[in-house]
Amino acid sequence: MPAFTPLTPEILTASVADRAEALTGSVCIAVSAPDAADPVEFAQRVATELRTRGRAADVVDLHDFVRPASLRLEHGRTDPYSYRHDWFDYAAVDREVLRAVREHRRWLPRLWDERTDRSARDRPRRAAEDQILVVAGPMLLGRGLDFDVTVVLTMSRGALERRTRPEDHWTIDAVLEHAVLDHSGADADVLVRYDHPTRPAVRTRSD
C-alpha cells in the first residue's frame, strides 16, 4: 500500500506549483476530482501561487465544457452512466485547450454554458510564452488527455455523501466507478486523500 503524508493545504498547493514551474513553455495541469472536492477552488489556488512567481496561469473549469443537454440528458437527468461518459466534452478540452495552447498559442476559456444550455460565445485567448493552464473537474484522467502534471483529489464514499449536494448524489457511483475501472489515481503524479480538504494527505509518485 502506498504511504500518504499529511500536508497543510498551503504546502500541497506550493508543491503542485513547484512541479509546474519546473517545466518550460506551455504547461497543462489536470486537477481531477469530484465536485465535492471543489477542484476549481484548488486549481485557482495553484494558479494564484504560480502568478505570484511570475508565471502566466489560468484555470479552465470542466463544467464550462459540458455537452449540450440533448446529449448529456438523453437517458434522463440522473443517469450515472451518462454522467461518466456523456456529460463532459473531453474531446473539446483536448482540441480547444490542450492542443490549442501547445500548437496555436491560444486557448478557449469556455465552450458551453451549462446553466443556459447555450454556447458560451467566448473568444480564444492568446497564450503567454510560458502559459500554464490548470484544468479542473471530475474524471479527467483515463480520457487520453495529454497533461504535463496530473493531480487527483480522492474522496471516500462517506466523504462524497457528506459533501455532495443531495440533488447530486446520483453522480457518486459514477465517480467511484471511474476511479476503480480507469485506475485514475494510480498513474497520477500527485495523489491526494482529500476527505478533509483542510487536512490533505499526499502520495507523490517518484520520478
Side-chain angles (χ1 to χ4, degrees):
M1 294 293 290
F4 285 80
T5 303
L7 296 177
T8 65
E10 293 76 17
I11 292 176
L12 176 60
T13 299
S15 69
V16 174
D18 288 344
R19 283 179 171 265
E21 188 183 25
L23 303 174
T24 59
S26 298
V27 177
C28 298
I29 305 172
V31 177
S32 182
D35 290 334
D38 201 351
V40 172
E41 187 274 337
F42 181 81
Q44 289 169 340
R45 285 195 278 123
V46 171
T48 298
E49 173 68 20
L50 287 163
R51 286 193 289 267
T52 66
R53 303 180 186 191
R55 290 293 292 267
D58 291 276
V59 174
V60 175
D61 184 347
L62 185 60
H63 277 278
D64 290 328
F65 282 80
V66 296
R67 303 175 77 198
S70 60
L71 298 174
R72 68 179 190 271
L73 304 181
E74 184 178 1
H75 301 290
R77 294 182 176 274
T78 59
D79 181 64
Y81 181 91
S82 295
Y83 185 70
R84 186 178 170 206
H85 296 281
D86 301 326
W87 205 270
F88 301 103
D89 196 341
Y90 299 101
V93 172
D94 183 39
R95 181 182 67 250
E96 304 292 349
V97 180
L98 306 184
R99 287 195 283 120
V101 74
R102 291 176 176 131
E103 298 172 9
H104 306 294
R105 300 277 304 284
R106 65 175 184 265
W107 54 283
L108 187 67
R110 299 191 307 147
L111 177 68
W112 200 257
D113 189 313
E114 189 172 14
R115 183 181 61 83
T116 64
D117 195 37
R118 295 177 183 274
S119 170
R121 299 187 181 279
D122 277 26
R123 298 177 64 86
R125 296 184 187 175
R126 292 296 302 172
E129 289 284 345
D130 59 351
Q131 181 73 51
I132 298 176
L133 296 178
V134 191
V135 183
M139 303 175 289
L140 277 169
L141 273 61
R143 307 289 182 178
L145 300 175
D146 183 16
F147 290 104
D148 301 293
V149 179
T150 54
V151 181
V152 174
L153 310 179
T154 66
M155 290 183 132
S156 66
R157 178 178 288 275
L160 286 169
E161 290 175 348
R162 288 193 305 273
R163 297 181 63 86
T164 300
R165 298 183 305 174
E167 61 268 31
D168 293 331
H169 270 210
W170 62 274
T171 65
I172 292 174
D173 283 342
V175 167
L176 293 174
E177 183 180 65
H178 180 79
V180 171
L181 296 181
D182 289 276
H183 308 287
S184 55
D187 294 329
D189 295 310
V190 182
L191 176 64
V192 186
R193 285 180 176 168
Y194 214 64
D195 280 8
H196 304 282
T198 59
R199 303 192 304 277
V202 66
R203 180 229 70 186
T204 305
R205 188 177 68 188
S206 58
D207 296 320

mmCIF file of all heavy atoms in Angstrom, residues 108-150:
data_model
loop_
_atom_site.group_PDB
_atom_site.id
_atom_site.type_symbol
_atom_site.label_atom_id
_atom_site.label_comp_id
_atom_site.label_asym_id
_atom_site.label_seq_id
_atom_site.Cartn_x
_atom_site.Cartn_y
_atom_site.Cartn_z
ATOM 1 N N LEU A 108 -9.308 28.251 -25.442
ATOM 2 C CA LEU A 108 -10.693 28.690 -25.255
ATOM 3 C C LEU A 108 -11.069 28.556 -23.779
ATOM 4 O O LEU A 108 -11.033 27.448 -23.233
ATOM 5 C CB LEU A 108 -11.632 27.845 -26.117
ATOM 6 C CG LEU A 108 -13.102 28.292 -26.148
ATOM 7 C CD1 LEU A 108 -13.220 29.645 -26.846
ATOM 8 C CD2 LEU A 108 -13.956 27.248 -26.859
ATOM 9 N N PRO A 109 -11.436 29.644 -23.112
ATOM 10 C CA PRO A 109 -11.767 29.566 -21.689
ATOM 11 C C PRO A 109 -13.046 28.787 -21.392
ATOM 12 O O PRO A 109 -13.118 28.046 -20.408
ATOM 13 C CB PRO A 109 -11.936 31.026 -21.270
ATOM 14 C CG PRO A 109 -11.281 31.829 -22.350
ATOM 15 C CD PRO A 109 -11.429 31.026 -23.601
ATOM 16 N N ARG A 110 -14.070 28.962 -22.237
ATOM 17 C CA ARG A 110 -15.357 28.295 -22.006
ATOM 18 C C ARG A 110 -15.964 27.924 -23.359
ATOM 19 O O ARG A 110 -15.877 28.696 -24.307
ATOM 20 C CB ARG A 110 -16.340 29.201 -21.261
ATOM 21 C CG ARG A 110 -15.902 29.653 -19.881
ATOM 22 C CD ARG A 110 -17.059 30.325 -19.140
ATOM 23 N NE ARG A 110 -17.651 31.391 -19.957
ATOM 24 C CZ ARG A 110 -18.949 31.713 -19.945
ATOM 25 N NH1 ARG A 110 -19.809 31.047 -19.204
ATOM 26 N NH2 ARG A 110 -19.387 32.694 -20.708
ATOM 27 N N LEU A 111 -16.604 26.774 -23.400
ATOM 28 C CA LEU A 111 -17.261 26.330 -24.629
ATOM 29 C C LEU A 111 -18.774 26.398 -24.520
ATOM 30 O O LEU A 111 -19.452 26.854 -25.437
ATOM 31 C CB LEU A 111 -16.838 24.904 -24.962
ATOM 32 C CG LEU A 111 -17.504 24.270 -26.188
ATOM 33 C CD1 LEU A 111 -17.037 24.972 -27.461
ATOM 34 C CD2 LEU A 111 -17.185 22.775 -26.255
ATOM 35 N N TRP A 112 -19.325 25.930 -23.398
ATOM 36 C CA TRP A 112 -20.778 25.766 -23.280
ATOM 37 C C TRP A 112 -21.233 26.226 -21.902
ATOM 38 O O TRP A 112 -20.580 25.945 -20.895
ATOM 39 C CB TRP A 112 -21.149 24.300 -23.480
ATOM 40 C CG TRP A 112 -22.589 24.077 -23.840
ATOM 41 C CD1 TRP A 112 -23.592 23.637 -23.020
ATOM 42 C CD2 TRP A 112 -23.195 24.270 -25.113
ATOM 43 N NE1 TRP A 112 -24.775 23.555 -23.699
ATOM 44 C CE2 TRP A 112 -24.566 23.936 -25.000
ATOM 45 C CE3 TRP A 112 -22.708 24.691 -26.360
ATOM 46 C CZ2 TRP A 112 -25.446 24.015 -26.071
ATOM 47 C CZ3 TRP A 112 -23.589 24.775 -27.430
ATOM 48 C CH2 TRP A 112 -24.943 24.429 -27.281
ATOM 49 N N ASP A 113 -22.353 26.939 -21.859
ATOM 50 C CA ASP A 113 -22.935 27.396 -20.596
ATOM 51 C C ASP A 113 -23.887 26.312 -20.095
ATOM 52 O O ASP A 113 -24.949 26.086 -20.680
ATOM 53 C CB ASP A 113 -23.671 28.723 -20.802
ATOM 54 C CG ASP A 113 -24.117 29.354 -19.495
ATOM 55 O OD1 ASP A 113 -24.686 28.640 -18.647
ATOM 56 O OD2 ASP A 113 -23.889 30.562 -19.321
ATOM 57 N N GLU A 114 -23.500 25.644 -19.023
ATOM 58 C CA GLU A 114 -24.299 24.528 -18.508
ATOM 59 C C GLU A 114 -25.662 24.985 -18.016
ATOM 60 O O GLU A 114 -26.652 24.266 -18.132
ATOM 61 C CB GLU A 114 -23.523 23.845 -17.370
ATOM 62 C CG GLU A 114 -24.124 22.542 -16.894
ATOM 63 C CD GLU A 114 -23.215 21.823 -15.925
ATOM 64 O OE1 GLU A 114 -22.244 22.430 -15.403
ATOM 65 O OE2 GLU A 114 -23.477 20.640 -15.669
ATOM 66 N N ARG A 115 -25.739 26.190 -17.469
ATOM 67 C CA ARG A 115 -26.992 26.679 -16.906
ATOM 68 C C ARG A 115 -28.011 27.020 -17.993
ATOM 69 O O ARG A 115 -29.181 26.637 -17.906
ATOM 70 C CB ARG A 115 -26.735 27.908 -16.031
ATOM 71 C CG ARG A 115 -27.983 28.462 -15.326
ATOM 72 C CD ARG A 115 -27.641 29.689 -14.505
ATOM 73 N NE ARG A 115 -27.112 30.766 -15.317
ATOM 74 C CZ ARG A 115 -27.884 31.620 -15.995
ATOM 75 N NH1 ARG A 115 -29.207 31.523 -15.965
ATOM 76 N NH2 ARG A 115 -27.332 32.586 -16.718
ATOM 77 N N THR A 116 -27.573 27.733 -19.025
ATOM 78 C CA THR A 116 -28.500 28.159 -20.082
ATOM 79 C C THR A 116 -28.584 27.165 -21.233
ATOM 80 O O THR A 116 -29.465 27.274 -22.077
ATOM 81 C CB THR A 116 -28.074 29.524 -20.655
ATOM 82 O OG1 THR A 116 -26.782 29.384 -21.281
ATOM 83 C CG2 THR A 116 -27.990 30.562 -19.541
ATOM 84 N N ASP A 117 -27.649 26.204 -21.271
ATOM 85 C CA ASP A 117 -27.541 25.231 -22.350
ATOM 86 C C ASP A 117 -27.387 25.935 -23.697
ATOM 87 O O ASP A 117 -28.062 25.612 -24.673
ATOM 88 C CB ASP A 117 -28.751 24.288 -22.362
ATOM 89 C CG ASP A 117 -28.488 23.053 -23.221
ATOM 90 O OD1 ASP A 117 -27.341 22.562 -23.209
ATOM 91 O OD2 ASP A 117 -29.415 22.582 -23.912
ATOM 92 N N ARG A 118 -26.463 26.891 -23.709
ATOM 93 C CA ARG A 118 -26.143 27.610 -24.938
ATOM 94 C C ARG A 118 -24.624 27.755 -25.052
ATOM 95 O O ARG A 118 -23.901 27.624 -24.065
ATOM 96 C CB ARG A 118 -26.779 29.009 -24.950
ATOM 97 C CG ARG A 118 -28.298 29.012 -24.961
ATOM 98 C CD ARG A 118 -28.819 30.448 -24.908
ATOM 99 N NE ARG A 118 -30.269 30.496 -24.855
ATOM 100 C CZ ARG A 118 -31.063 30.476 -25.912
ATOM 101 N NH1 ARG A 118 -30.529 30.434 -27.131
ATOM 102 N NH2 ARG A 118 -32.373 30.524 -25.776
ATOM 103 N N SER A 119 -24.176 28.049 -26.236
ATOM 104 C CA SER A 119 -22.761 28.334 -26.424
ATOM 105 C C SER A 119 -22.334 29.477 -25.517
ATOM 106 O O SER A 119 -23.054 30.475 -25.355
ATOM 107 C CB SER A 119 -22.489 28.714 -27.884
ATOM 108 O OG SER A 119 -21.182 29.213 -28.027
ATOM 109 N N ALA A 120 -21.163 29.340 -24.915
ATOM 110 C CA ALA A 120 -20.660 30.407 -24.052
ATOM 111 C C ALA A 120 -20.218 31.625 -24.857
ATOM 112 O O ALA A 120 -20.090 32.723 -24.314
ATOM 113 C CB ALA A 120 -19.488 29.903 -23.224
ATOM 114 N N ARG A 121 -19.953 31.432 -26.146
ATOM 115 C CA ARG A 121 -19.568 32.509 -27.057
ATOM 116 C C ARG A 121 -18.281 33.220 -26.614
ATOM 117 O O ARG A 121 -18.082 34.397 -26.907
ATOM 118 C CB ARG A 121 -20.703 33.520 -27.240
ATOM 119 C CG ARG A 121 -21.954 32.911 -27.842
ATOM 120 C CD ARG A 121 -23.011 33.958 -28.168
ATOM 121 N NE ARG A 121 -24.208 33.372 -28.718
ATOM 122 C CZ ARG A 121 -24.365 33.014 -29.989
ATOM 123 N NH1 ARG A 121 -23.365 33.205 -30.851
ATOM 124 N NH2 ARG A 121 -25.495 32.482 -30.414
ATOM 125 N N ASP A 122 -17.437 32.539 -25.891
ATOM 126 C CA ASP A 122 -16.141 33.103 -25.532
ATOM 127 C C ASP A 122 -15.204 33.049 -26.742
ATOM 128 O O ASP A 122 -15.291 32.137 -27.566
ATOM 129 C CB ASP A 122 -15.508 32.327 -24.380
ATOM 130 C CG ASP A 122 -16.033 32.768 -23.031
ATOM 131 O OD1 ASP A 122 -17.172 33.270 -22.981
ATOM 132 O OD2 ASP A 122 -15.312 32.595 -22.029
ATOM 133 N N ARG A 123 -14.314 34.006 -26.828
ATOM 134 C CA ARG A 123 -13.314 34.013 -27.881
ATOM 135 C C ARG A 123 -12.023 33.386 -27.354
ATOM 136 O O ARG A 123 -11.716 33.495 -26.169
ATOM 137 C CB ARG A 123 -13.042 35.441 -28.342
ATOM 138 C CG ARG A 123 -14.264 36.137 -28.940
ATOM 139 C CD ARG A 123 -13.936 37.570 -29.296
ATOM 140 N NE ARG A 123 -12.919 37.650 -30.338
ATOM 141 C CZ ARG A 123 -13.172 37.610 -31.642
ATOM 142 N NH1 ARG A 123 -14.422 37.476 -32.067
ATOM 143 N NH2 ARG A 123 -12.198 37.699 -32.519
ATOM 144 N N PRO A 124 -11.264 32.729 -28.208
ATOM 145 C CA PRO A 124 -9.978 32.185 -27.758
ATOM 146 C C PRO A 124 -9.068 33.294 -27.232
ATOM 147 O O PRO A 124 -9.100 34.430 -27.715
ATOM 148 C CB PRO A 124 -9.402 31.551 -29.028
ATOM 149 C CG PRO A 124 -10.597 31.273 -29.889
ATOM 150 C CD PRO A 124 -11.553 32.390 -29.611
ATOM 151 N N ARG A 125 -8.290 32.953 -26.237
ATOM 152 C CA ARG A 125 -7.318 33.886 -25.666
ATOM 153 C C ARG A 125 -5.924 33.546 -26.158
ATOM 154 O O ARG A 125 -5.576 32.380 -26.325
ATOM 155 C CB ARG A 125 -7.343 33.828 -24.135
ATOM 156 C CG ARG A 125 -8.648 34.277 -23.521
ATOM 157 C CD ARG A 125 -8.550 34.269 -22.005
ATOM 158 N NE ARG A 125 -9.832 34.535 -21.393
ATOM 159 C CZ ARG A 125 -10.060 34.490 -20.079
ATOM 160 N NH1 ARG A 125 -9.060 34.153 -19.259
ATOM 161 N NH2 ARG A 125 -11.250 34.744 -19.590
ATOM 162 N N ARG A 126 -5.123 34.573 -26.341
ATOM 163 C CA ARG A 126 -3.733 34.362 -26.701
ATOM 164 C C ARG A 126 -2.976 33.870 -25.479
ATOM 165 O O ARG A 126 -3.154 34.368 -24.373
ATOM 166 C CB ARG A 126 -3.099 35.657 -27.205
ATOM 167 C CG ARG A 126 -3.644 36.143 -28.527
ATOM 168 C CD ARG A 126 -3.340 35.177 -29.660
ATOM 169 N NE ARG A 126 -1.906 34.941 -29.832
ATOM 170 C CZ ARG A 126 -1.405 34.030 -30.657
ATOM 171 N NH1 ARG A 126 -2.209 33.233 -31.352
ATOM 172 N NH2 ARG A 126 -0.102 33.892 -30.774
ATOM 173 N N ALA A 127 -2.128 32.887 -25.678
ATOM 174 C CA ALA A 127 -1.339 32.331 -24.584
ATOM 175 C C ALA A 127 -0.029 33.083 -24.443
ATOM 176 O O ALA A 127 0.562 33.524 -25.427
ATOM 177 C CB ALA A 127 -1.069 30.855 -24.835
ATOM 178 N N ALA A 128 0.422 33.215 -23.204
ATOM 179 C CA ALA A 128 1.739 33.785 -22.951
ATOM 180 C C ALA A 128 2.815 32.786 -23.366
ATOM 181 O O ALA A 128 2.536 31.608 -23.610
ATOM 182 C CB ALA A 128 1.873 34.122 -21.471
ATOM 183 N N GLU A 129 4.043 33.259 -23.429
ATOM 184 C CA GLU A 129 5.155 32.380 -23.810
ATOM 185 C C GLU A 129 5.257 31.176 -22.883
ATOM 186 O O GLU A 129 5.561 30.071 -23.314
ATOM 187 C CB GLU A 129 6.464 33.169 -23.788
ATOM 188 C CG GLU A 129 6.598 34.190 -24.898
ATOM 189 C CD GLU A 129 6.938 33.541 -26.239
ATOM 190 O OE1 GLU A 129 7.337 32.368 -26.233
ATOM 191 O OE2 GLU A 129 6.798 34.227 -27.268
ATOM 192 N N ASP A 130 5.042 31.415 -21.603
ATOM 193 C CA ASP A 130 5.184 30.348 -20.602
ATOM 194 C C ASP A 130 3.852 30.045 -19.919
ATOM 195 O O ASP A 130 3.783 29.842 -18.719
ATOM 196 C CB ASP A 130 6.240 30.732 -19.562
ATOM 197 C CG ASP A 130 5.881 32.031 -18.829
ATOM 198 O OD1 ASP A 130 4.921 32.710 -19.248
ATOM 199 O OD2 ASP A 130 6.564 32.353 -17.835
ATOM 200 N N GLN A 131 2.780 30.024 -20.720
ATOM 201 C CA GLN A 131 1.429 29.860 -20.202
ATOM 202 C C GLN A 131 1.247 28.528 -19.474
ATOM 203 O O GLN A 131 1.668 27.471 -19.945
ATOM 204 C CB GLN A 131 0.417 29.923 -21.351
ATOM 205 C CG GLN A 131 -1.032 29.784 -20.926
ATOM 206 C CD GLN A 131 -1.544 31.029 -20.238
ATOM 207 O OE1 GLN A 131 -1.401 32.136 -20.756
ATOM 208 N NE2 GLN A 131 -2.144 30.863 -19.063
ATOM 209 N N ILE A 132 0.618 28.606 -18.302
ATOM 210 C CA ILE A 132 0.202 27.406 -17.570
ATOM 211 C C ILE A 132 -1.311 27.412 -17.478
ATOM 212 O O ILE A 132 -1.914 28.403 -17.080
ATOM 213 C CB ILE A 132 0.823 27.353 -16.158
ATOM 214 C CG1 ILE A 132 2.346 27.283 -16.242
ATOM 215 C CG2 ILE A 132 0.285 26.157 -15.382
ATOM 216 C CD1 ILE A 132 3.046 27.324 -14.894
ATOM 217 N N LEU A 133 -1.943 26.299 -17.868
ATOM 218 C CA LEU A 133 -3.386 26.126 -17.748
ATOM 219 C C LEU A 133 -3.659 25.004 -16.759
ATOM 220 O O LEU A 133 -3.084 23.924 -16.861
ATOM 221 C CB LEU A 133 -4.007 25.798 -19.100
ATOM 222 C CG LEU A 133 -3.904 26.889 -20.179
ATOM 223 C CD1 LEU A 133 -4.532 26.395 -21.477
ATOM 224 C CD2 LEU A 133 -4.584 28.180 -19.712
ATOM 225 N N VAL A 134 -4.538 25.283 -15.817
ATOM 226 C CA VAL A 134 -4.935 24.290 -14.827
ATOM 227 C C VAL A 134 -6.378 23.898 -15.121
ATOM 228 O O VAL A 134 -7.295 24.698 -14.935
ATOM 229 C CB VAL A 134 -4.809 24.831 -13.389
ATOM 230 C CG1 VAL A 134 -4.978 23.700 -12.377
ATOM 231 C CG2 VAL A 134 -3.463 25.530 -13.176
ATOM 232 N N VAL A 135 -6.569 22.691 -15.626
ATOM 233 C CA VAL A 135 -7.904 22.188 -15.974
ATOM 234 C C VAL A 135 -8.444 21.412 -14.784
ATOM 235 O O VAL A 135 -7.785 20.491 -14.276
ATOM 236 C CB VAL A 135 -7.850 21.290 -17.219
ATOM 237 C CG1 VAL A 135 -9.251 20.829 -17.611
ATOM 238 C CG2 VAL A 135 -7.182 22.025 -18.383
ATOM 239 N N ALA A 136 -9.630 21.760 -14.325
ATOM 240 C CA ALA A 136 -10.160 21.191 -13.094
ATOM 241 C C ALA A 136 -11.568 20.658 -13.292
ATOM 242 O O ALA A 136 -12.423 21.339 -13.874
ATOM 243 C CB ALA A 136 -10.165 22.246 -11.985
ATOM 244 N N GLY A 137 -11.799 19.437 -12.811
ATOM 245 C CA GLY A 137 -13.132 18.868 -12.896
ATOM 246 C C GLY A 137 -13.119 17.372 -12.679
ATOM 247 O O GLY A 137 -12.067 16.763 -12.450
ATOM 248 N N PRO A 138 -14.284 16.740 -12.766
ATOM 249 C CA PRO A 138 -14.395 15.303 -12.478
ATOM 250 C C PRO A 138 -13.834 14.415 -13.586
ATOM 251 O O PRO A 138 -13.928 14.737 -14.774
ATOM 252 C CB PRO A 138 -15.916 15.090 -12.349
ATOM 253 C CG PRO A 138 -16.513 16.448 -12.178
ATOM 254 C CD PRO A 138 -15.605 17.371 -12.928
ATOM 255 N N MET A 139 -13.209 13.312 -13.185
ATOM 256 C CA MET A 139 -12.895 12.185 -14.072
ATOM 257 C C MET A 139 -12.053 12.597 -15.278
ATOM 258 O O MET A 139 -12.277 12.146 -16.395
ATOM 259 C CB MET A 139 -14.201 11.508 -14.529
ATOM 260 C CG MET A 139 -15.076 11.036 -13.376
ATOM 261 S SD MET A 139 -16.697 10.367 -13.895
ATOM 262 C CE MET A 139 -17.542 11.876 -14.427
ATOM 263 N N LEU A 140 -11.046 13.434 -15.057
ATOM 264 C CA LEU A 140 -10.224 13.928 -16.167
ATOM 265 C C LEU A 140 -9.228 12.899 -16.671
ATOM 266 O O LEU A 140 -8.874 12.898 -17.852
ATOM 267 C CB LEU A 140 -9.455 15.179 -15.729
ATOM 268 C CG LEU A 140 -10.206 16.508 -15.791
ATOM 269 C CD1 LEU A 140 -9.402 17.593 -15.083
ATOM 270 C CD2 LEU A 140 -10.484 16.901 -17.226
ATOM 271 N N LEU A 141 -8.756 12.044 -15.783
ATOM 272 C CA LEU A 141 -7.761 11.062 -16.200
ATOM 273 C C LEU A 141 -8.438 9.861 -16.848
ATOM 274 O O LEU A 141 -9.629 9.621 -16.658
ATOM 275 C CB LEU A 141 -6.910 10.627 -15.011
ATOM 276 C CG LEU A 141 -5.685 11.512 -14.713
ATOM 277 C CD1 LEU A 141 -6.091 12.939 -14.387
ATOM 278 C CD2 LEU A 141 -4.851 10.923 -13.595
ATOM 279 N N GLY A 142 -7.677 9.124 -17.624
ATOM 280 C CA GLY A 142 -8.233 7.977 -18.332
ATOM 281 C C GLY A 142 -9.014 8.362 -19.567
ATOM 282 O O GLY A 142 -9.782 7.560 -20.099
ATOM 283 N N ARG A 143 -8.809 9.592 -20.061
ATOM 284 C CA ARG A 143 -9.538 10.084 -21.238
ATOM 285 C C ARG A 143 -8.634 10.290 -22.440
ATOM 286 O O ARG A 143 -9.064 10.819 -23.454
ATOM 287 C CB ARG A 143 -10.239 11.418 -20.907
ATOM 288 C CG ARG A 143 -11.112 11.385 -19.673
ATOM 289 C CD ARG A 143 -12.350 10.583 -19.898
ATOM 290 N NE ARG A 143 -13.234 10.584 -18.718
ATOM 291 C CZ ARG A 143 -14.410 9.979 -18.664
ATOM 292 N NH1 ARG A 143 -14.873 9.322 -19.730
ATOM 293 N NH2 ARG A 143 -15.138 10.003 -17.565
ATOM 294 N N GLY A 144 -7.360 9.917 -22.297
ATOM 295 C CA GLY A 144 -6.415 10.138 -23.382
ATOM 296 C C GLY A 144 -5.959 11.568 -23.501
ATOM 297 O O GLY A 144 -5.418 11.959 -24.541
ATOM 298 N N LEU A 145 -6.155 12.363 -22.460
ATOM 299 C CA LEU A 145 -5.755 13.765 -22.485
ATOM 300 C C LEU A 145 -4.297 13.890 -22.045
ATOM 301 O O LEU A 145 -3.871 13.262 -21.073
ATOM 302 C CB LEU A 145 -6.659 14.595 -21.559
ATOM 303 C CG LEU A 145 -8.148 14.573 -21.916
ATOM 304 C CD1 LEU A 145 -8.948 15.327 -20.873
ATOM 305 C CD2 LEU A 145 -8.383 15.150 -23.307
ATOM 306 N N ASP A 146 -3.545 14.717 -22.751
ATOM 307 C CA ASP A 146 -2.100 14.828 -22.537
ATOM 308 C C ASP A 146 -1.801 15.977 -21.581
ATOM 309 O O ASP A 146 -1.629 17.122 -22.002
ATOM 310 C CB ASP A 146 -1.398 15.034 -23.881
ATOM 311 C CG ASP A 146 0.112 15.077 -23.732
ATOM 312 O OD1 ASP A 146 0.629 14.654 -22.680
ATOM 313 O OD2 ASP A 146 0.778 15.545 -24.674
ATOM 314 N N PHE A 147 -1.711 15.657 -20.302
ATOM 315 C CA PHE A 147 -1.360 16.651 -19.292
ATOM 316 C C PHE A 147 0.102 16.497 -18.910
ATOM 317 O O PHE A 147 0.647 15.390 -18.907
ATOM 318 C CB PHE A 147 -2.241 16.488 -18.051
ATOM 319 C CG PHE A 147 -3.678 16.878 -18.252
ATOM 320 C CD1 PHE A 147 -4.656 15.911 -18.400
ATOM 321 C CD2 PHE A 147 -4.046 18.208 -18.297
ATOM 322 C CE1 PHE A 147 -5.992 16.264 -18.592
ATOM 323 C CE2 PHE A 147 -5.370 18.576 -18.494
ATOM 324 C CZ PHE A 147 -6.345 17.599 -18.636
ATOM 325 N N ASP A 148 0.719 17.613 -18.543
ATOM 326 C CA ASP A 148 2.111 17.587 -18.104
ATOM 327 C C ASP A 148 2.234 17.238 -16.624
ATOM 328 O O ASP A 148 3.233 16.641 -16.210
ATOM 329 C CB ASP A 148 2.759 18.949 -18.356
ATOM 330 C CG ASP A 148 2.727 19.332 -19.820
ATOM 331 O OD1 ASP A 148 3.403 18.668 -20.623
ATOM 332 O OD2 ASP A 148 2.002 20.283 -20.175
ATOM 333 N N VAL A 149 1.253 17.628 -15.847
ATOM 334 C CA VAL A 149 1.206 17.315 -14.415
ATOM 335 C C VAL A 149 -0.217 16.878 -14.093
ATOM 336 O O VAL A 149 -1.182 17.541 -14.497
ATOM 337 C CB VAL A 149 1.579 18.536 -13.543
ATOM 338 C CG1 VAL A 149 1.506 18.174 -12.057
ATOM 339 C CG2 VAL A 149 2.969 19.056 -13.894
ATOM 340 N N THR A 150 -0.351 15.763 -13.390
ATOM 341 C CA THR A 150 -1.688 15.272 -13.043
ATOM 342 C C THR A 150 -1.836 15.194 -11.528
ATOM 343 O O THR A 150 -0.998 14.623 -10.831
ATOM 344 C CB THR A 150 -1.949 13.885 -13.655
ATOM 345 O OG1 THR A 150 -0.903 12.979 -13.269
ATOM 346 C CG2 THR A 150 -1.995 13.977 -15.171
#
